[in-house]
Amino acid sequence: MALLNFKKRDTGAAQTVNPQVEAFLQDYSIEVMPRTAEKVENFRDLLPAGTRVYIAHIEGTPIEDMVATAKRLNAEGFPVMPHFPARIIKDEATLADWIARYQGEADVKQALMLAGGVAKPHGDFHSSMQLLETGLFDKAGFTSLHVAGHPEGNKDIDPDGSTKNVSEALQWKQKFSERTDAKMALATQFAFEAKPIIEWANGLKAAGIDLPIHIGIAGPAKLQTLIKFAIACGVGPSLKVLQKRAMDVSKLLLPYEPTDVVAELAAYKAENPDFNITNVHFFPLGGIKTNATWAINNGGASAKPVNS
């Protein structure tokens, strides 16, 4: 099976839905930013009922914009999970204020905690574990708390290229999950090859980490776009695969689609029902509508929009 799937644009012919993929895409989630969400007239035209929408909090984005986006999505019927990037949160009072705003204005009950892609912390926090340790999310009655997973490691956390610190952090988060009432899961960075993802997920389970995994998948996009984001996000082995593909001029102008990696993971899940990857989380790098359209074309009933 090909590492990356490139194809000519769909001419409108009906596509046959792979039942394994349909099952695998059940309850998928998608990530937006305030500025990308503004481009979508109505999310109900694109997403299935109850789709969890993560809102990425990029450094410099006002909390007011984040909360307004969460309020809009909640009003359209979608559960919202905003990012809480530790390194851009000044102190515990700021964190408490954010939680209160999200709950009071947008009825938010879920959070994704991560360190955040900032080299120097803006204040007291530098890790998602410190956010969890405040107890503020439990006190506020959050029902779901997700933390980051890294199938290809994370050089911000392990500059030496190992997985030592990442592994220790996951063990801590596993123990925390056992003492919180909130449901916890790992929401991962995107990757493009199924085999390393499967090996990583199985390795976590063997190490006693049984948190459900919501695997990050890059949505359809131009190859140049994928490379740009892979560099920015520190995706390692996958970046090498992309760069190798970029040397083939014939592939440069064709859109990438995640068909192969999703199908391979779906097949493995079908053969191994206890596999700890439970959900797909899309990064719509080529646009929200483009990603949702791919899901609709490939996910059957699992991706049927509310307005359809």
Side-chain angles (χ1 to χ4, degrees), residues 24 32 42 91 120 126 143 169 172 217 219 241 273 291:
F24 193 56
V32 305
N42 190 338
D91 50 31
K120 184 178 179 180
H126 62 80
T143 56
W172 186 96
I217 296 292
V241 172
N291 199 143

Side-chain angles (χ1 to χ4, degrees), residues 90-272:
K90 183 180 179 182
D91 50 31
E92 191 167 318
T94 301
L95 176 61
D97 177 60
W98 285 18
I99 291 173
R101 290 191 190 201
Y102 278 124
Q103 284 198 318
E105 298 179 42
D107 195 29
V108 169
K109 300 173 183 175
Q110 310 181 72
L112 169 63
M113 273 149 288
L114 63 168
V118 178
K120 184 178 179 180
H122 291 192
D124 298 340
F125 302 118
H126 62 80
S127 74
S128 60
M129 291 179 288
Q130 291 175 307
L131 299 181
L132 291 167
E133 284 178 328
T134 66
L136 292 174
F137 293 97
D138 279 332
K139 184 178 179 181
F142 271 53
T143 56
S144 295
L145 299 175
H146 289 188
V147 290
H150 306 280
E152 299 182 350
N154 186 309
K155 287 195 174 182
D156 283 344
I157 301 173
D158 286 293
D160 62 0
S162 70
T163 60
K164 179 179 180 297
N165 293 332
V166 166
S167 297
E168 290 177 354
L170 285 176
Q171 291 288 351
W172 186 96
K173 292 165 185 174
Q174 173 68 34
K175 291 177 182 177
F176 182 88
S177 74
E178 296 163 5
R179 61 178 190 267
T180 179
D181 291 331
K183 294 180 180 179
M184 289 190 67
L186 296 178
T188 83
Q189 186 54 272
F190 56 85
F192 299 97
E193 295 182 79
K195 185 177 179 182
I197 290 172
I198 292 168
E199 291 175 351
W200 172 78
N202 286 336
L204 291 188
K205 197 166 188 178
I209 297 169
D210 63 1
L211 294 171
I213 296 172
H214 295 223
I215 192 67
I217 296 292
K222 294 179 181 178
L223 180 57
Q224 300 96 314
T225 300
L226 295 180
I227 291 174
K228 180 184 74 173
F229 278 103
I231 292 172
C233 297
V235 174
S238 288
L239 177 58
K240 294 178 182 178
V241 172
L242 293 176
Q243 290 172 327
K244 183 178 180 180
R245 281 284 178 170
M247 296 175 67
D248 185 345
V249 178
S250 66
K251 298 289 194 290
L252 283 175
L253 299 180
L254 294 179
Y256 158 79
E257 295 187 349
T259 310
D260 287 346
V261 64
V262 169
E264 196 168 341
L265 290 171
Y268 189 86
K269 178 72 175 181
E271 295 169 3
N272 303 272

